[in-house]
Coordinates of all heavy atoms in Angstrom, one line a residue:
M1 N 80.8 89.7 86.8 CA 81.6 90.8 87.2 C 81.4 92.0 86.2 O 81.4 91.8 85.0 CB 83.1 90.5 87.2 CG 84.0 91.7 87.5 SD 85.8 91.3 87.5 CE 85.9 90.8 89.2
T2 N 81.3 93.2 86.7 CA 81.1 94.3 85.9 C 82.5 94.7 85.2 O 83.5 94.6 85.9 CB 80.6 95.5 86.7 OG1 79.4 95.1 87.3 CG2 80.4 96.7 85.9
K3 N 82.4 95.3 84.0 CA 83.6 95.8 83.4 C 83.4 97.2 83.0 O 82.4 97.6 82.4 CB 83.9 94.9 82.1 CG 85.2 95.4 81.4 CD 85.5 94.5 80.3 CE 86.8 94.9 79.6 NZ 87.2 94.0 78.5
V4 N 84.4 98.1 83.3 CA 84.3 99.5 82.9 C 85.5 99.7 81.9 O 86.6 99.1 82.1 CB 84.4 100.5 84.1 CG1 83.2 100.3 85.0 CG2 85.7 100.2 84.9
V5 N 85.2 100.5 80.9 CA 86.3 100.8 79.9 C 86.5 102.3 79.8 O 85.5 103.1 79.5 CB 85.8 100.3 78.5 CG1 86.9 100.6 77.5 CG2 85.6 98.8 78.6
Y6 N 87.7 102.7 80.1 CA 88.1 104.1 79.9 C 88.7 104.3 78.6 O 89.6 103.5 78.2 CB 89.1 104.5 81.0 CG 88.5 104.5 82.4 CD1 88.7 103.4 83.2 CD2 87.9 105.6 82.9 CE1 88.2 103.3 84.5 CE2 87.4 105.5 84.2 CZ 87.5 104.4 85.0 OH 87.0 104.4 86.3
K7 N 88.3 105.2 77.8 CA 88.8 105.4 76.4 C 89.5 106.8 76.4 O 88.9 107.8 76.7 CB 87.6 105.4 75.4 CG 88.1 105.5 74.0 CD 86.9 105.2 73.0 CE 87.4 105.3 71.6 NZ 86.3 105.1 70.7
V8 N 90.7 106.8 75.9 CA 91.4 108.1 75.7 C 91.1 108.7 74.4 O 91.2 108.0 73.3 CB 93.0 107.8 75.8 CG1 93.8 109.1 75.6 CG2 93.3 107.2 77.2
V9 N 90.6 109.9 74.4 CA 90.2 110.6 73.2 C 90.6 112.1 73.2 O 90.9 112.6 74.2 CB 88.6 110.5 73.1 CG1 88.1 109.1 72.9 CG2 88.0 111.2 74.3
Q10 N 90.5 112.7 72.0 CA 90.7 114.1 71.9 C 89.5 114.8 72.4 O 88.4 114.3 72.2 CB 91.0 114.5 70.4 CG 92.3 114.2 69.9 CD 92.6 114.7 68.5 OE1 91.7 114.6 67.7 NE2 93.8 115.2 68.3
H11 N 89.7 115.9 73.2 CA 88.6 116.5 73.8 C 88.9 118.0 74.2 O 90.0 118.2 74.8 CB 88.2 115.8 75.1 CG 87.0 116.4 75.8 ND1 85.7 116.5 75.3 CD2 86.9 117.0 77.0 CE1 84.9 117.0 76.2 NE2 85.7 117.4 77.2
D12 N 88.1 118.9 73.8 CA 88.2 120.3 74.3 C 89.6 120.9 74.1 O 90.1 121.5 75.0 CB 87.7 120.4 75.7 CG 87.3 121.8 76.1 OD1 86.9 122.5 75.2 OD2 87.3 122.0 77.3
G13 N 90.2 120.7 72.9 CA 91.5 121.2 72.6 C 92.7 120.5 73.2 O 93.8 121.0 73.1
G14 N 92.4 119.3 73.7 CA 93.5 118.5 74.3 C 93.1 117.1 74.3 O 92.5 116.6 73.3
W15 N 93.4 116.4 75.4 CA 93.1 115.0 75.5 C 92.4 114.7 76.8 O 92.7 115.4 77.8 CB 94.4 114.1 75.4 CG 95.0 114.2 74.1 CD1 95.9 115.1 73.6 CD2 94.8 113.3 73.0 NE1 96.2 114.9 72.3 CE2 95.6 113.8 71.9 CE3 94.0 112.2 72.8 CZ2 95.6 113.1 70.6 CZ3 94.0 111.6 71.6 CH2 94.8 112.0 70.5
A16 N 91.6 113.7 76.8 CA 90.9 113.3 78.1 C 90.6 111.8 78.0 O 90.8 111.1 77.0 CB 89.5 114.0 78.2
Y17 N 90.2 111.2 79.1 CA 89.7 109.8 79.1 C 88.2 109.9 79.3 O 87.7 110.8 80.0 CB 90.4 108.9 80.0 CG 90.4 109.3 81.5 CD1 89.3 108.9 82.3 CD2 91.4 110.1 82.0 CE1 89.3 109.3 83.6 CE2 91.4 110.4 83.4 CZ 90.4 110.1 84.2 OH 90.3 110.4 85.5
R18 N 87.5 109.0 78.8 CA 86.0 109.0 78.8 C 85.5 107.6 79.4 O 86.0 106.6 79.0 CB 85.5 109.2 77.4 CG 84.0 109.4 77.4 CD 83.5 109.6 76.0 NE 83.5 108.4 75.3 CZ 83.8 108.2 74.0 NH1 84.1 109.2 73.2 NH2 83.7 107.0 73.4
L19 N 84.5 107.7 80.2 CA 83.8 106.5 80.7 C 82.3 106.7 80.3 O 81.7 107.6 80.8 CB 84.0 106.3 82.2 CG 83.2 105.1 82.8 CD1 83.7 103.8 82.1 CD2 83.4 105.1 84.3
G20 N 81.9 106.0 79.3 CA 80.5 106.2 78.8 C 80.5 107.6 78.1 O 81.3 107.9 77.2
D21 N 79.6 108.5 78.6 CA 79.4 109.8 78.1 C 80.1 110.9 79.0 O 79.9 112.0 78.8 CB 78.0 110.2 77.9 CG 77.3 109.3 76.9 OD1 77.9 108.9 76.0 OD2 76.0 109.1 77.0
V22 N 80.9 110.4 80.0 CA 81.5 111.4 80.9 C 83.0 111.5 80.6 O 83.7 110.5 80.6 CB 81.2 110.9 82.4 CG1 81.9 111.8 83.4 CG2 79.7 110.7 82.6
Y23 N 83.4 112.7 80.5 CA 84.8 113.0 80.2 C 85.6 113.4 81.5 O 85.0 114.1 82.4 CB 85.0 114.1 79.2 CG 84.5 113.8 77.8 CD1 83.2 113.9 77.5 CD2 85.4 113.3 76.9 CE1 82.8 113.5 76.2 CE2 85.0 112.9 75.6 CZ 83.7 113.0 75.3 OH 83.3 112.7 74.0
S24 N 86.8 113.1 81.5 CA 87.7 113.6 82.6 C 88.1 115.0 82.3 O 87.6 115.6 81.3 CB 89.0 112.8 82.6 OG 89.8 113.1 81.5
E25 N 88.9 115.6 83.2 CA 89.5 116.9 82.9 C 90.3 116.8 81.6 O 90.6 115.7 81.2 CB 90.4 117.4 84.0 CG 91.6 116.5 84.2 CD 92.4 116.8 85.4 OE1 93.2 117.7 85.3 OE2 92.2 116.2 86.4
T26 N 90.6 117.9 81.0 CA 91.3 117.9 79.7 C 92.8 118.0 80.1 O 93.2 118.8 80.9 CB 91.0 119.1 78.8 OG1 89.5 119.0 78.5 CG2 91.7 119.1 77.5
F27 N 93.6 117.1 79.4 CA 95.1 117.1 79.6 C 95.7 117.7 78.4 O 95.2 117.5 77.3 CB 95.5 115.7 79.8 CG 95.0 115.1 81.1 CD1 93.8 114.4 81.1 CD2 95.7 115.2 82.3 CE1 93.3 113.9 82.3 CE2 95.2 114.6 83.5 CZ 94.0 114.0 83.5
P28 N 96.9 118.3 78.5 CA 97.6 118.9 77.4 C 98.1 117.9 76.3 O 98.2 118.3 75.2 CB 98.7 119.8 78.0 CG 98.9 119.2 79.3 CD 97.6 118.6 79.8
T29 N 98.5 116.7 76.8 CA 99.0 115.8 75.9 C 98.3 114.4 75.9 O 97.7 114.1 77.0 CB 100.5 115.5 76.1 OG1 100.6 114.8 77.4 CG2 101.3 116.8 76.2
H30 N 98.4 113.7 74.9 CA 97.8 112.3 74.8 C 98.5 111.5 75.9 O 97.8 110.7 76.6 CB 98.1 111.8 73.4 CG 97.8 110.3 73.3 ND1 98.7 109.3 73.5 CD2 96.6 109.7 73.0 CE1 98.1 108.2 73.3 NE2 96.8 108.4 73.0
S31 N 99.8 111.6 76.1 CA 100.5 110.8 77.0 C 100.0 111.1 78.5 O 99.8 110.1 79.3 CB 102.0 111.1 77.0 OG 102.7 110.4 77.9
D32 N 99.7 112.3 78.8 CA 99.2 112.7 80.1 C 97.8 112.0 80.4 O 97.6 111.5 81.4 CB 99.1 114.2 80.3 CG 100.4 114.9 80.4 OD1 101.5 114.2 80.7 OD2 100.5 116.1 80.2
A33 N 97.0 112.1 79.3 CA 95.6 111.5 79.5 C 95.7 110.0 79.6 O 95.0 109.4 80.4 CB 94.8 111.9 78.3
L34 N 96.5 109.4 78.8 CA 96.7 107.9 78.9 C 97.2 107.5 80.3 O 96.7 106.5 80.9 CB 97.6 107.5 77.8 CG 97.9 106.0 77.6 CD1 96.5 105.2 77.4 CD2 98.8 105.7 76.5
Q35 N 98.2 108.2 80.8 CA 98.7 107.9 82.1 C 97.7 108.1 83.2 O 97.5 107.2 84.1 CB 99.9 108.8 82.4 CG 100.5 108.5 83.8 CD 101.7 109.4 84.1 OE1 102.1 110.3 83.3 NE2 102.3 109.1 85.2
A36 N 96.9 109.1 83.1 CA 95.8 109.4 84.1 C 94.8 108.3 84.0 O 94.3 107.8 85.0 CB 95.2 110.7 83.9
A37 N 94.4 107.9 82.8 CA 93.4 106.8 82.6 C 93.9 105.5 83.2 O 93.1 104.8 83.9 CB 93.1 106.6 81.1
R38 N 95.2 105.2 83.0 CA 95.7 104.0 83.6 C 95.7 104.0 85.1 O 95.4 103.0 85.8 CB 97.1 103.7 83.1 CG 97.1 103.3 81.6 CD 98.5 103.1 81.1 NE 98.5 102.6 79.7 CZ 99.4 102.8 78.8 NH1 100.5 103.5 79.2 NH2 99.3 102.3 77.6
I39 N 96.0 105.1 85.7 CA 95.9 105.3 87.2 C 94.5 105.1 87.7 O 94.3 104.4 88.7 CB 96.5 106.7 87.6 CG1 98.0 106.7 87.3 CG2 96.2 107.0 89.1 CD1 98.6 108.1 87.5
V40 N 93.6 105.8 87.0 CA 92.2 105.6 87.5 C 91.7 104.2 87.3 O 91.0 103.7 88.2 CB 91.3 106.6 86.6 CG1 89.8 106.3 86.9 CG2 91.6 108.0 87.0
A41 N 92.0 103.5 86.3 CA 91.6 102.1 86.1 C 92.2 101.2 87.1 O 91.5 100.4 87.7 CB 92.0 101.7 84.7
A42 N 93.4 101.5 87.5 CA 94.1 100.7 88.6 C 93.4 100.9 89.9 O 93.1 100.0 90.7 CB 95.5 101.0 88.6
E43 N 93.1 102.2 90.2 CA 92.4 102.5 91.5 C 91.0 102.0 91.5 O 90.5 101.6 92.6 CB 92.4 104.0 91.7 CG 93.8 104.6 91.9 CD 93.8 106.1 92.0 OE1 92.8 106.8 91.7 OE2 94.9 106.6 92.4
Q44 N 90.4 101.9 90.4 CA 89.0 101.4 90.3 C 88.9 99.9 90.8 O 87.9 99.5 91.3 CB 88.5 101.5 88.9 CG 87.1 101.0 88.7 CD 86.0 102.0 89.2 OE1 86.0 102.2 90.4 NE2 85.2 102.5 88.3
Q45 N 90.0 99.2 90.7 CA 90.0 97.8 91.0 C 90.4 97.5 92.4 O 90.4 96.3 92.8 CB 90.9 97.0 90.0 CG 90.3 97.2 88.5 CD 91.2 96.5 87.5 OE1 91.0 95.4 87.2 NE2 92.2 97.3 87.0
V46 N 90.8 98.5 93.2 CA 91.2 98.3 94.5 C 90.0 98.1 95.4 O 89.2 99.0 95.5 CB 92.1 99.5 95.0 CG1 92.5 99.3 96.5 CG2 93.4 99.6 94.1
G47 N 90.0 97.1 96.2 CA 88.9 96.8 97.1 C 89.1 97.7 98.3 O 90.1 98.4 98.6
G48 N 88.0 97.8 99.1 CA 88.0 98.6 100.3 C 87.5 97.8 101.5 O 87.4 96.6 101.5
E49 N 87.2 98.6 102.5 CA 86.6 98.0 103.8 C 85.1 97.7 103.6 O 84.5 98.5 102.9 CB 86.9 98.9 104.9 CG 88.4 99.1 105.2 CD 89.1 97.8 105.7 OE1 88.5 97.1 106.5 OE2 90.2 97.6 105.3
P50 N 84.6 96.7 104.3 CA 83.2 96.6 104.3 C 82.5 97.8 104.9 O 83.0 98.4 105.8 CB 82.9 95.4 105.2 CG 84.2 94.7 105.2 CD 85.3 95.7 105.1
E51 N 81.4 98.3 104.3 CA 80.7 99.4 104.8 C 79.3 99.5 104.2 O 79.0 98.9 103.1 CB 81.5 100.7 104.5 CG 81.7 101.0 103.0 CD 82.5 102.2 102.7 OE1 82.5 103.1 103.5 OE2 83.3 102.2 101.7
E52 N 78.4 100.3 104.8 CA 77.1 100.7 104.3 C 77.3 101.8 103.3 O 78.0 102.7 103.5 CB 76.2 101.1 105.4 CG 75.8 100.0 106.3 CD 74.9 98.9 105.7 OE1 74.1 99.3 104.9 OE2 75.1 97.8 106.1
I53 N 76.7 101.7 102.1 CA 76.8 102.8 101.1 C 75.4 103.2 100.7 O 74.4 102.4 100.8 CB 77.6 102.3 99.9 CG1 76.9 101.1 99.2 CG2 79.0 102.0 100.2 CD1 77.5 100.8 97.8
S54 N 75.3 104.4 100.3 CA 74.0 104.9 99.7 C 74.3 105.5 98.4 O 75.4 106.1 98.1 CB 73.4 106.0 100.7 OG 74.2 107.1 100.8
W55 N 73.3 105.4 97.5 CA 73.5 105.9 96.1 C 72.1 106.3 95.6 O 71.1 105.8 96.0 CB 74.2 104.9 95.2 CG 73.6 103.6 95.2 CD1 73.8 102.6 96.1 CD2 72.7 103.0 94.2 NE1 73.0 101.5 95.8 CE2 72.4 101.7 94.6 CE3 72.1 103.5 93.1 CZ2 71.5 100.9 93.9 CZ3 71.2 102.7 92.4 CH2 71.0 101.4 92.8
Q56 N 72.2 107.2 94.6 CA 70.9 107.7 94.0 C 70.8 107.2 92.6 O 71.8 107.3 91.8 CB 71.0 109.2 94.0 CG 69.7 109.9 93.6 CD 69.8 111.4 93.7 OE1 70.8 112.0 93.7 NE2 68.6 112.0 93.8
D57 N 69.7 106.6 92.2 CA 69.5 106.1 90.9 C 69.1 107.2 89.9 O 68.9 108.4 90.3 CB 68.6 104.9 90.8 CG 67.1 105.3 91.2 OD1 66.7 106.4 91.1 OD2 66.4 104.3 91.6
E58 N 68.9 106.9 88.6 CA 68.6 107.8 87.6 C 67.2 108.5 87.8 O 67.0 109.6 87.2 CB 68.7 107.2 86.2 CG 67.6 106.1 85.9 CD 68.0 104.7 86.5 OE1 69.2 104.6 86.9 OE2 67.1 103.8 86.4
K59 N 66.4 107.9 88.6 CA 65.1 108.5 88.9 C 65.1 109.4 90.2 O 64.0 109.9 90.6 CB 64.0 107.4 89.1 CG 63.8 106.7 87.8 CD 62.7 105.6 88.0 CE 62.5 104.8 86.7 NZ 61.6 103.7 86.8
G60 N 66.3 109.5 90.8 CA 66.4 110.3 92.0 C 66.1 109.6 93.3 O 66.0 110.2 94.3
V61 N 65.9 108.3 93.2 CA 65.5 107.5 94.4 C 66.8 107.1 95.1 O 67.7 106.5 94.4 CB 64.7 106.3 94.0 CG1 64.4 105.4 95.3 CG2 63.4 106.7 93.4
W62 N 66.9 107.3 96.4 CA 68.1 106.9 97.2 C 68.0 105.4 97.6 O 66.9 105.0 98.0 CB 68.3 107.8 98.4 CG 68.9 109.1 98.0 CD1 68.2 110.2 97.7 CD2 70.3 109.4 97.8 NE1 69.1 111.2 97.3 CE2 70.4 110.7 97.4 CE3 71.4 108.6 98.0 CZ2 71.6 111.3 97.1 CZ3 72.6 109.3 97.7 CH2 72.7 110.6 97.3
H63 N 69.1 104.7 97.6 CA 69.2 103.3 98.0 C 70.3 103.2 99.0 O 71.3 103.9 99.0 CB 69.5 102.4 96.8 CG 68.5 102.5 95.7 ND1 67.4 101.7 95.6 CD2 68.4 103.4 94.7 CE1 66.7 102.1 94.5 NE2 67.3 103.1 93.9
A64 N 70.1 102.2 100.0 CA 71.2 101.9 100.9 C 71.5 100.4 100.8 O 70.5 99.6 100.6 CB 70.7 102.3 102.3
E65 N 72.7 100.1 100.9 CA 73.1 98.7 100.8 C 74.4 98.4 101.5 O 75.2 99.4 101.7 CB 73.1 98.2 99.4 CG 74.1 98.8 98.5 CD 74.0 98.4 97.0 OE1 72.9 98.5 96.4 OE2 75.1 98.0 96.5
Y66 N 74.7 97.2 101.7 CA 76.0 96.8 102.3 C 77.0 96.4 101.2 O 76.6 95.7 100.3 CB 75.7 95.6 103.3 CG 77.0 95.0 103.9 CD1 77.7 95.7 104.9 CD2 77.6 93.9 103.3 CE1 78.8 95.1 105.4 CE2 78.7 93.4 103.8 CZ 79.4 94.0 104.9 OH 80.5 93.5 105.4
S67 N 78.2 96.9 101.3 CA 79.2 96.5 100.4 C 80.3 95.8 101.2 O 80.8 96.3 102.2 CB 79.8 97.8 99.7 OG 81.0 97.4 98.9
D68 N 80.7 94.6 100.7 CA 81.8 93.9 101.4 C 83.2 94.5 101.1 O 84.2 94.0 101.6 CB 81.7 92.4 101.1 CG 82.1 92.0 99.7 OD1 82.5 92.9 98.9 OD2 81.9 90.8 99.4
G69 N 83.2 95.4 100.1 CA 84.5 96.0 99.8 C 85.3 95.3 98.7 O 86.3 95.8 98.3
G70 N 84.9 94.1 98.4 CA 85.7 93.3 97.5 C 85.1 93.2 96.1 O 85.7 92.6 95.2
D71 N 83.9 93.6 95.9 CA 83.2 93.5 94.6 C 83.5 94.7 93.7 O 82.8 95.7 93.6 CB 81.7 93.5 94.8 CG 80.9 93.2 93.6 OD1 81.5 92.7 92.6 OD2 79.7 93.5 93.5
R72 N 84.7 94.6 93.1 CA 85.2 95.7 92.2 C 85.1 95.3 90.8 O 85.2 94.1 90.4 CB 86.7 96.0 92.6 CG 86.9 96.3 94.0 CD 86.1 97.5 94.6 NE 86.3 98.6 93.7 CZ 85.4 99.6 93.6 NH1 84.2 99.5 94.2 NH2 85.6 100.6 92.8
P73 N 84.8 96.2 89.9 CA 84.7 95.9 88.5 C 86.1 95.7 87.9 O 87.1 96.2 88.4 CB 84.1 97.2 87.9 CG 84.6 98.3 88.8 CD 84.6 97.7 90.2
E74 N 86.1 95.0 86.8 CA 87.3 94.9 85.9 C 87.4 96.2 85.2 O 86.4 96.7 84.7 CB 87.2 93.7 84.9 CG 88.3 93.6 84.0 CD 88.1 92.5 82.9 OE1 87.1 91.7 83.1 OE2 88.9 92.5 82.0
A75 N 88.6 96.8 85.1 CA 88.8 98.1 84.4 C 89.8 97.9 83.3 O 90.8 97.3 83.5 CB 89.2 99.2 85.4
E76 N 89.5 98.6 82.2 CA 90.4 98.5 81.0 C 90.5 99.9 80.4 O 89.6 100.7 80.5 CB 89.7 97.6 79.9 CG 90.5 97.5 78.6 CD 89.8 96.7 77.6 OE1 88.7 96.1 77.9 OE2 90.3 96.6 76.5
V77 N 91.7 100.2 79.9 CA 91.9 101.4 79.2 C 92.1 101.1 77.7 O 92.9 100.3 77.3 CB 93.2 102.1 79.7 CG1 93.5 103.4 78.9 CG2 93.1 102.5 81.2
V78 N 91.3 101.8 76.9 CA 91.4 101.7 75.4 C 92.0 103.0 74.9 O 91.4 104.1 75.2 CB 90.0 101.4 74.8 CG1 90.1 101.5 73.3 CG2 89.5 100.1 75.3
D79 N 93.1 103.0 74.2 CA 93.7 104.2 73.7 C 93.0 104.5 72.4 O 93.2 103.8 71.4 CB 95.2 104.0 73.5 CG 95.9 105.2 73.1 OD1 95.3 106.2 72.7 OD2 97.1 105.2 73.1
G80 N 92.1 105.5 72.3 CA 91.4 105.8 71.1 C 92.2 106.1 69.9 O 91.9 105.8 68.8
D81 N 93.5 106.6 70.2 CA 94.4 106.8 69.1 C 94.8 105.5 68.4 O 94.8 105.4 67.2 CB 95.7 107.5 69.7 CG 96.2 108.6 68.8 OD1 95.5 109.1 68.0 OD2 97.4 108.9 69.0
D82 N 95.1 104.5 69.2 CA 95.5 103.2 68.6 C 94.3 102.6 67.9 O 94.4 102.0 66.9 CB 95.9 102.2 69.7 CG 97.3 102.6 70.3 OD1 98.0 103.4 69.7 OD2 97.6 102.1 71.4
E83 N 93.1 102.7 68.5 CA 91.9 102.2 67.9 C 91.6 102.8 66.5 O 91.3 102.1 65.6 CB 90.7 102.4 68.8 CG 89.4 101.7 68.4 CD 88.4 101.9 69.5 OE1 87.6 102.9 69.3 OE2 88.3 101.1 70.4
E84 N 91.8 104.1 66.4 CA 91.6 104.8 65.1 C 92.6 104.4 64.1 O 92.2 104.1 62.9 CB 91.6 106.3 65.3 CG 90.5 106.8 66.1 CD 90.6 108.3 66.5 OE1 91.5 109.0 65.9 OE2 89.9 108.8 67.3
Q85 N 93.8 104.2 64.5 CA 94.9 103.7 63.5 C 94.6 102.3 63.0 O 94.7 102.0 61.9 CB 96.3 103.8 64.2 CG 96.7 105.2 64.5 CD 96.8 106.1 63.3 OE1 97.2 105.6 62.2 NE2 96.4 107.3 63.4
S86 N 94.1 101.5 63.9 CA 93.8 100.1 63.6 C 92.6 100.1 62.6 O 92.6 99.3 61.6 CB 93.4 99.3 64.8 OG 93.0 98.0 64.5
E87 N 91.6 100.9 62.8 CA 90.5 101.0 61.9 C 90.9 101.5 60.5 O 90.4 101.0 59.5 CB 89.4 101.9 62.4 CG 88.7 101.3 63.6 CD 87.7 102.3 64.3 OE1 87.6 103.5 63.8 OE2 87.1 101.9 65.3
K88 N 91.8 102.4 60.4 CA 92.3 102.9 59.1 C 93.1 101.9 58.4 O 93.0 101.8 57.2 CB 93.2 104.2 59.4 CG 92.5 105.4 59.8 CD 93.4 106.6 60.0 CE 92.6 107.8 60.5 NZ 93.5 108.9 60.8
R89 N 93.9 101.0 59.1 CA 94.6 100.0 58.4 C 93.7 98.9 57.9 O 94.0 98.3 56.9 CB 95.6 99.3 59.4 CG 96.8 100.1 59.7 CD 97.8 99.3 60.5 NE 97.3 99.2 61.9 CZ 97.8 99.8 62.9 NH1 98.8 100.6 62.8 NH2 97.3 99.6 64.1
Q90 N 92.6 98.7 58.5 CA 91.6 97.6 58.1 C 90.8 98.1 56.9 O 90.2 97.3 56.2 CB 90.7 97.2 59.3 CG 91.4 96.5 60.3 CD 90.5 96.2 61.5 OE1 89.3 96.5 61.5 NE2 91.1 95.6 62.6
A91 N 90.7 99.4 56.7 CA 89.9 99.9 55.6 C 90.5 99.8 54.3 O 91.6 99.5 54.1 CB 89.6 101.4 55.9

């Protein structure tokens, strides 16, 4: 099973959540960004109806495949603020 990790971080004068190198919109508070990340992570795990899907890979090639709607990734939210505090305590 695939796992995705959303990380809450300071970004662009506020707070955002990040998946890999992609940032969400900027939120005014840490709490707002953390709440949004938790919502997105929960929605990421909701299955859907079976359907044909198409997607483009990194080389620009389009693919078509059947999705049964149940193959959803495990999603986790990591609060970057908590992670930084933990690292400082360990140092």
